[in-house]
Amino acid sequence: MQSKLEHDFGTPESHAKESVTLNIDGMTVTVPAGTSIMRAASGAGVQVPKLCATDSVDPYGSCRLCLVEVEGRRGYPASCTTPCENGLNVRTQSPKLAELRKGVMELYISDHPLDCLTCATNGNCELQDMAGTVGLREVRYGYEGLNHTKSQKDESNPYFTYDPSKCIVCSRCVRACEEVQGTFALTIEGRGFDSRVSAGMGESFMDSECVSCGACVQACPTATLSEKSIIQMGQPDHSVTTTCAYCGVGCSFRAEMQGNRVVRMVPWKDGKANHGHSCVKGRFAWGYATHPDRVTKPMVRDKISDPWKEVSFDEAIQFASDKFKSIQAQHGRDSIGGITSSRCTNEEVYVMQKLVRAVFQNNNVDTCARVCHSPTGFGLKATLGESAGTQDFDSVMDSDVIIVIGANPTDGHPVFASQMKKRLRQGAKLIVIDPRSTDLVRSAHIEAQHHLKLRPGTNVAILNALGHVIATEGLVKEDYIASRCDVESFEKWRNFVSRENNSPEALEPVTGVPADEVRKAARLFATGGNGAIYYGLGVTEHAQGSTAVIGIANLALATGNVGRRGVGVNPLRGQNNVQGSCDMGSFPHELPGYRHVSEKATRELFGNAWNVTIQPEPGLRIPNMFEASMDGSFRGLYVMGEDIVQSDPNTQHVIAALEQLDCLVVQDIFLNETAMYAHVFLPGSSFLEKDGTFTNAERRISRVRKVMPPLSGLGDWEVIQKVAQTMGYPMNYSHPSEIMDEVARLTPTFKGVSYERLEQLGSIQWPCNDAHPEGTPTMHIQEFTRGKGKFISTEYIATDEKVTKRFPLIMTTGRILSQYNVGAQTRRTANMAWHSEDRVEIHPADAEDRGIVDGDWVGITSRAGETVLRALVSERMQPGVVYTTFHFPESGANVITTDNSDWATNCPEYKVTAVELTKVSQPSEWQSNYKRFAEKQINFLHQAEAKA
Ligand code: SF4
Ligand code: SF4
Ligand code: SF4
Ligand code: FES
């Protein structure tokens, strides 16, 4: 149901450059050509009655309620389907129009249950409103309503209901599912009065193709499709605009509220990353914020074998501060450090790295981007000069050929996937490079021209093969390279990729992809018009992750595809604020704005502002922290918002390292797997309790606004500030906006960013400075940030993680739409209805060889460890490759991943683990131990809560 809190213009905006002028009800109105009369009138303050039109989908013209009179034209055209033209003279009100509209409404109401007073959408129902607007007082046809009013409700979806008795068959839901979401799950079944909306072939919503994005619910003008939260809680009384805390798309939402309680999340139409769309996570999976598992009181203990003790914030922070100081006194300045999180706001991350650099006095700060997109930072900085994607999401609407490599946007970045699918339906061509047959390869009205189904770990080989074809078949954009690129580096690269060993034919045995297919894909990309490359963790999380990012940049440069709309190199960031956490100086070698700690001027800039001396040597990366902990030189760690025990590779090693620490401080909203090894627990706040900003994958900085007070009483930045103060450093911000002001003062790319500016503009894509006061949607337009675009040769080196007789399969990992990362949030929502366990996907042939059938428990053994999951036999896999998600701690997906990592950044090689699968009947030893340990720790928590 559309919300009354947001204006509906009736039909989508026209982006035409030309404008037309007409007269509506005596007013002169000028609008872009192609604007409907309905929208033009709405913009001028005249609301033409409507039912089947809404501004998120194209007009359909079925209800006939929006009729108008146009001077000189016969009849009564529908204003939603009639475009404005120069000189038109339109009347939206007349006695005849009123009579016609009343007649239409009578028909609708005659087939509608008259239970408005007890209906969930009472007061926010367009049908009710329209009956009032047209002045309906009687229904001449009676209220028989035999067609729909007895129909069964479908309550199968955990978040919304479908009540056919209230359906007016306006088709807004069907169009939303097709046009906005691109899933095509709904149809109108039957004809005339017998027609009704149906999910799939008469299935329930849960059993259909529906992905629960909620676009249909939002489009429905009646109570037919209604959020269950609205049915339970009633209508909201106010709303606050904020940003989704899940993936890197960074959708804007209006949190619709009753007092401090969220009633529903409605994607914000003016949100520039999502344009009013969302996925199941952002729209519906927010209940975790008030889940009973939230830990809202600080706790301390001396040993992890001790029960927790609830204490005040002051006591907990004093405890942590004393421990950290004594560790440093005994073991030196570098013996402690901190880890920031991409789930936290820019301001929180900035303050956290400042705590490490200014208060701990070292550079031992790292972030979870270490394990996802650190190669992006390295590869794009080296080639283009900036550690970020080059485009805004809307740019895809100008792409002609799209490469998606190592990414599964329909699951990982669903709202952007919907936009990309829209462009593909308009005719853009698609090349998917992925070991699995993801949904993008073939789904409703979408089919990739080429699916290069490569062997995991061979991205660099396939990128070189594509480069080979482009370089040797005369497909290079010579003029672009001459004017925009470092020509010497290009020549070296050309010589390199042109070598026979980089040809698709030579690499076919390595990649498993037919050479002919690679050649066709390369030609399509190089000659098909605007070529854009989107990539994800399937590129970065490899031993050659940074090399592959460089390979992608090489391809984009060689084909002239950087520096304008429709093209570019686009990392799809996993978590909501991966970009921001990197921007804010979370890496041990970089201060905010990607400036190396070895640069004296940068150190002095920050040192003077903070009144400290910044150390010139890079600090420890996360894996180095673990190693240093094992050798006893690193003994205190402050982890904020990241669950390293579940998310980092080789879990046994991570746990062993944490067990060695004298003081582990965890700041989080739940007692996560890492907190089970902590000595101090500081309660964190969810995104609904925060003021701050997130920066999405397109460098877009958006406000996160507090809709309810922090359950613990303090915001995360306030807690960190108290730690700094207690350790003796004067940190005195009074609001997160002051933190952003400091970032802007010290970071050239953020110079023009402030909360005031964000209020004015809605969101800002950095760089935002004097040259680009409103931000930068497309980067590197005139020249690259580094001057000339640089080619770097990318020798393919096979990973050390080889298949052998003992470990003959390659395991790769990824996510699923309904769950998010380690699952801490989504596991505590009704999203469990879609995915309640991680399963290992295996090709039927491999399954048969091992006597495994769908649903069997199978042991997965690697060189690092063993775990047990249920099998999902699936043709999406290629033979020899298995796949799993990692959303449940008991799955132990990272018990089997190894210590191998990217040569440049240490990003773990999650995507390639040699394994063997065998049918088993019981959990692995690790899983049994985990279960015992976790139960004990949860018990400690409950004991502490009971005592308090
Ligand atoms: S929730 Fe989304 S996917 Fe499901 S039917 Fe509605 S629009 Fe389609
Ligand atoms: S379910 Fe709602 S949007 Fe869909 S046809 Fe019925 S009334 Fe219209
Ligand atoms: S696409 Fe990402 S940012 Fe948007 S609603 Fe879904 S999870 Fe949130
Ligand atoms: S709103 Fe125009 S025909 Fe329904």
Side-chain angles (χ1 to χ4, degrees):
M1 164 63 65
Q2 278 265 354
S3 170
K4 274 199 167 156
L5 300 172
E6 205 159 43
H7 187 75
D8 183 355
F9 289 90
T11 62
E13 189 181 0
S14 162
H15 296 287
K17 293 210 173 62
E18 320 79 63
S19 52
V20 292
T21 300
L22 68 166
N23 189 290
I24 301 176
D25 290 347
M27 289 178 286
T28 302
V29 180
T30 300
V31 290
T35 303
S36 69
I37 290 177
M38 175 180 280
R39 189 176 176 106
S42 182
V46 176
Q47 307 313 323
V48 182
K50 66 178 184 60
L51 275 176
C52 70
T54 186
D55 57 13
S56 60
V57 293
D58 288 339
Y60 188 57
S62 69
C63 77
R64 312 299 294 165
L65 195 64
C66 68
L67 309 180
V68 290
E69 291 173 357
V70 178
E71 199 175 281
R73 287 196 189 172
R74 289 173 55 189
Y76 302 93
S79 61
C80 63
T81 49
T82 309
C84 295
E85 286 174 27
N86 273 323
L88 288 190
N89 211 343
V90 177
R91 282 208 318 170
T92 69
Q93 303 294 340
S94 75
K96 183 64 192 168
L97 288 172
E99 186 193 326
L100 288 170
R101 287 174 187 155
K102 244 188 210 176
V104 168
M105 280 310 296
E106 273 188 79
L107 279 172
Y108 277 117
I109 296 298
S110 70
D111 184 28
H112 199 83
L114 294 178
D115 58 357
C116 289
L117 278 183
T118 51
C119 178
T121 57
N122 186 22
N124 190 19
C125 169
E126 288 182 50
L127 188 69
Q128 195 180 44
D129 289 351
M130 288 308 120
T133 302
V134 305
L136 192 68
R137 297 288 174 266
E138 58 173 343
V139 174
R140 283 166 294 165
Y141 315 109
Y143 300 101
E144 300 308 313
L146 294 179
N147 295 290
H148 297 106
T149 52
K150 301 241 163 22
S151 314
Q152 262 320 92
K153 265 191 187 181
D154 176 355
E155 309 219 43
S156 60
N157 186 290
Y159 296 116
F160 60 85
T161 59
Y162 170 55
D163 178 358
S165 71
K166 298 191 169 170
C167 180
I168 58 170
V169 201
C170 66
S171 188
R172 276 162 62 159
C173 54
V174 178
R175 284 174 284 147
C177 191
E178 293 176 3
E179 296 172 30
V180 180
Q181 166 56 25
T183 292
F184 293 77
L186 300 179
T187 47
I188 303 274
E189 259 183 7
R191 296 176 142 239
F193 253 42
D194 288 334
S195 54
R196 54 165 302 210
V197 170
S198 170
M201 306 293 287
E203 297 157 306
S204 71
F205 271 81
M206 240 357 224
D207 293 335
S208 73
E209 295 289 306
C210 168
V211 292
S212 200
C213 70
C216 57
V217 181
Q218 190 172 337
C220 182
T222 65
T224 314
L225 287 162
S226 290
E227 292 97 341
K228 287 184 176 170
S229 62
I230 289 279
I231 295 172
Q232 281 154 14
M233 298 168 73
Q235 294 293 324
D237 52 41
H238 71 283
S239 75
V240 179
T241 305
T242 190
T243 304
C244 179
Y246 283 116
C247 85
V249 177
C251 297
S252 293
F253 279 88
R254 282 181 304 102
E256 294 197 343
M257 312 288 298
Q258 284 173 354
N260 282 341
R261 293 197 319 162
V262 177
V263 176
R264 68 175 163 191
M265 298 290 278
V266 181
W268 190 34
K269 279 184 194 171
D270 292 336
K272 292 185 184 127
N274 58 318
H275 304 295
H277 190 34
S278 72
C279 78
V280 61
K281 295 190 284 289
R283 190 191 295 260
F284 295 122
W286 38 268
Y288 71 89
T290 49
H291 193 279
D293 284 355
R294 280 287 298 270
V295 183
T296 57
K297 300 278 188 326
M299 302 186 297
V300 296
R301 59 182 174 180
D302 287 318
K303 300 193 297 295
I304 62 164
S305 52
D306 288 347
W308 285 105
K309 186 175 147 214
E310 278 191 6
V311 293
S312 67
F313 261 117
D314 285 347
E315 284 173 272
I317 288 170
Q318 191 65 54
F319 184 97
S321 162
D322 292 346
K323 288 259 185 193
F324 282 153
K325 279 172 146 177
S326 108
I327 292 171
Q328 281 190 307
Q330 246 185 302
H331 301 280
R333 195 179 56 203
D334 296 334
S335 56
I336 64 173
I339 296 178
T340 71
S341 166
S342 299
R343 282 185 214 167
C344 295
T345 63
N346 287 318
E347 293 73 6
E348 290 156 358
V349 170
Y350 178 85
V351 171
M352 185 73 186
Q353 62 85 36
K354 181 171 174 179
L355 174 82
V356 172
R357 294 199 157 100
V359 187
F360 295 181
Q361 276 284 294
N362 61 42
N363 288 311
N364 290 338
V365 60
D366 207 357
T367 181
C368 48
R370 170 72 50 218
V371 298
C372 68
H373 267 286
S374 48
T376 288
F378 181 89
L380 297 188
K381 180 114 186 168
T383 49
L384 311 180
E386 192 59 88
S387 302
T390 60
Q391 312 296 124
D392 59 354
F393 289 136
D394 286 352
S395 160
V396 77
M397 298 313 287
D398 288 313
S399 299
D400 300 310
V401 186
I402 300 166
I403 291 183
V404 177
I405 172 168
N408 183 9
T410 51
D411 282 49
H413 303 85
V415 165
F416 174 65
S418 290
Q419 190 174 22
M420 182 189 281
K421 289 202 290 187
K422 192 181 283 183
R423 180 64 191 146
L424 293 170
R425 290 196 302 275
Q426 288 172 355
K429 304 283 188 286
L430 175 67
I431 299 164
V432 174
I433 307 178
D434 203 287
R436 290 172 80 221
S437 299
T438 56
D439 283 349
L440 269 188
V441 173
R442 185 175 296 116
S443 57
H445 300 270
I446 302 291
E447 178 145 22
Q449 272 61 37
H450 302 286
H451 176 200
L452 311 186
K453 205 169 184 176
L454 77 178
R455 309 262 313 150
T458 62
N459 285 328
V460 172
I462 207 102
L463 290 163
N464 285 346
L466 291 166
H468 178 92
V469 179
I470 289 164
T472 56
E473 293 192 8
L475 303 177
V476 158
K477 274 272 180 321
E478 303 280 358
D479 51 345
Y480 179 91
I481 287 161
S483 64
R484 298 285 315 264
C485 300
D486 174 344
V487 175
E488 200 184 314
S489 71
F490 166 70
E491 290 302 343
K492 268 196 197 152
W493 175 80
R494 186 190 336 235
N495 290 337
F496 162 76
V497 282
S498 300
R499 285 183 343 216
E500 189 44 38
N501 64 338
N502 282 324
S503 70
E505 290 72 17
L507 288 169
E508 184 174 322
V510 173
T511 62
V513 182
D516 185 47
E517 195 73 14
V518 177
R519 286 195 178 271
K520 285 183 184 149
R523 288 170 197 146
L524 174 63
F525 183 67
T527 62
N530 281 343
I533 308 179
Y534 292 86
Y535 70 91
L537 304 183
V539 163
T540 53
E541 290 177 343
H542 285 276
Q544 281 201 297
S546 292
T547 319
V549 173
I550 291 169
I552 286 170
N554 287 339
L555 281 191
L557 291 175
T559 51
N561 276 316
V562 187
R564 61 181 190 281
R565 280 180 67 80
V567 299
V569 178
N570 304 282
L572 293 172
R573 306 284 187 160
Q575 302 198 63
N576 49 334
N577 201 32
V578 181
Q579 182 69 56
S581 72
C582 299
D583 300 342
M584 291 298 112
S586 283
F587 287 128
H589 65 291
E590 280 170 342
L591 282 150
Y594 303 99
R595 284 162 298 167
H596 206 279
V597 291
S598 62
E599 294 164 13
K600 188 160 177 272
T602 305
R603 282 202 313 279
E604 281 175 2
L605 178 73
F606 283 91
N608 291 340
W610 298 345
N611 209 13
V612 294
T613 305
I614 309 276
Q615 300 306 315
E617 295 297 327
L620 297 173
R621 296 171 173 181
I622 293 173
N624 307 135
M625 291 181 192
F626 297 152
E627 280 156 27
S629 169
M630 295 303 284
D631 75 21
S633 59
F634 187 77
R635 308 181 79 104
L637 178 61
Y638 185 165
V639 182
M640 187 197 181
E642 189 188 348
D643 192 354
I644 46 180
V645 168
Q646 200 186 333
S647 64
D648 283 39
N650 197 343
T651 309
Q652 308 85 304
H653 177 62
V654 177
I655 290 174
L658 295 187
E659 284 175 337
Q660 295 296 312
L661 295 173
D662 295 335
C663 181
L664 173 62
V665 177
V666 169
Q667 187 169 343
D668 213 293
I669 59 175
F670 299 114
L671 191 82
N672 61 21
E673 311 313 303
T674 306
M676 292 183 186
Y677 295 89
H679 305 95
V680 180
F681 183 86
L682 301 172
S685 42
S686 74
F687 79 113
L688 295 171
E689 299 147 60
K690 289 178 192 289
D691 260 316
T693 55
F694 290 149
T695 307
N696 74 354
E698 38 164 19
R699 295 169 278 106
R700 185 181 301 286
I701 307 160
S702 301
R703 280 283 274 117
V704 180
R705 292 184 180 86
K706 195 189 285 188
V707 303
M708 60 194 208
L711 299 188
S712 74
L714 285 181
D716 286 292
W717 65 273
E718 291 171 293
V719 174
I720 304 165
Q721 175 159 291
K722 266 179 177 286
V723 174
Q725 288 167 343
T726 309
M727 290 186 76
Y729 181 82
M731 194 185 275
N732 292 305
Y733 304 107
S734 62
H735 189 268
S737 63
E738 294 173 11
I739 304 171
M740 181 52 83
D741 290 343
E742 182 174 311
V743 173
R745 274 199 304 279
L746 298 172
T747 313
T749 42
F750 277 69
K751 190 174 174 208
V753 181
S754 66
Y755 280 29
E756 201 185 343
R757 203 82 183 108
L758 285 165
E759 273 325 310
Q760 287 162 0
L761 298 173
S763 61
I764 299 174
Q765 284 178 271
W766 67 259
C768 175
N769 46 32
D770 296 341
H772 304 282
E774 299 203 347
T776 311
T778 308
M779 291 193 75
H780 315 295
I781 289 180
Q782 301 296 340
E783 61 168 9
F784 290 94
T785 308
R786 70 176 300 285
K788 299 281 185 188
K790 184 170 181 182
F791 286 82
I792 300 173
S793 299
T794 51
E795 192 77 53
Y796 167 67
I797 300 167
T799 167
D800 290 342
E801 185 66 7
K802 304 260 191 294
V803 289
T804 58
K805 263 198 177 156
R806 193 164 154 228
F807 302 114
L809 302 168
I810 290 283
M811 188 187 81
T812 184
T813 60
R815 317 179 170 173
I816 198 153
L817 169 69
S818 54
Q819 294 286 355
Y820 175 72
N821 261 28
V822 295
Q825 295 142 291
T826 42
R827 278 188 277 116
R828 292 177 170 98
T829 69
N831 278 25
M832 289 287 281
W834 287 278
H835 186 84
S836 57
E837 62 176 347
D838 293 321
R839 292 176 74 164
V840 58
E841 265 184 65
I842 180 169
H843 188 272
D846 291 328
E848 198 184 330
D849 283 352
R850 289 161 179 78
I852 294 168
V853 297
D854 201 66
D856 275 351
W857 289 103
V858 290
I860 312 168
T861 318
S862 75
R863 292 180 181 93
E866 188 193 357
T867 196
V868 172
L869 296 175
R870 284 202 304 136
L872 178 67
V873 178
S874 157
E875 299 226 343
R876 283 155 71 105
M877 303 312 301
Q878 54 177 290
V881 180
V882 297
Y883 170 87
T884 188
T885 48
F886 48 86
H887 303 303
F888 293 82
E890 60 272 23
S891 302
N894 282 324
V895 171
I896 37 186
T897 51
T898 66
D899 279 339
N900 292 347
S901 65
D902 174 45
W903 62 273
T905 66
N906 275 149
C907 181
E909 191 179 35
Y910 290 118
K911 302 297 183 191
V912 187
T913 308
V915 296
E916 176 58 303
L917 266 58
T918 42
K919 201 168 156 175
V920 295
S921 55
Q922 59 184 29
S924 71
E925 193 187 336
W926 180 89
Q927 283 167 311
S928 303
N929 292 341
Y930 161 78
K931 193 161 175 270
R932 269 195 301 278
F933 179 75
E935 277 168 6
K936 190 169 154 195
Q937 292 295 326
I938 297 290
N939 228 351
F940 285 161
L941 171 66
H942 291 158
Q943 282 170 22
E945 286 170 343
K947 261 194 199 162

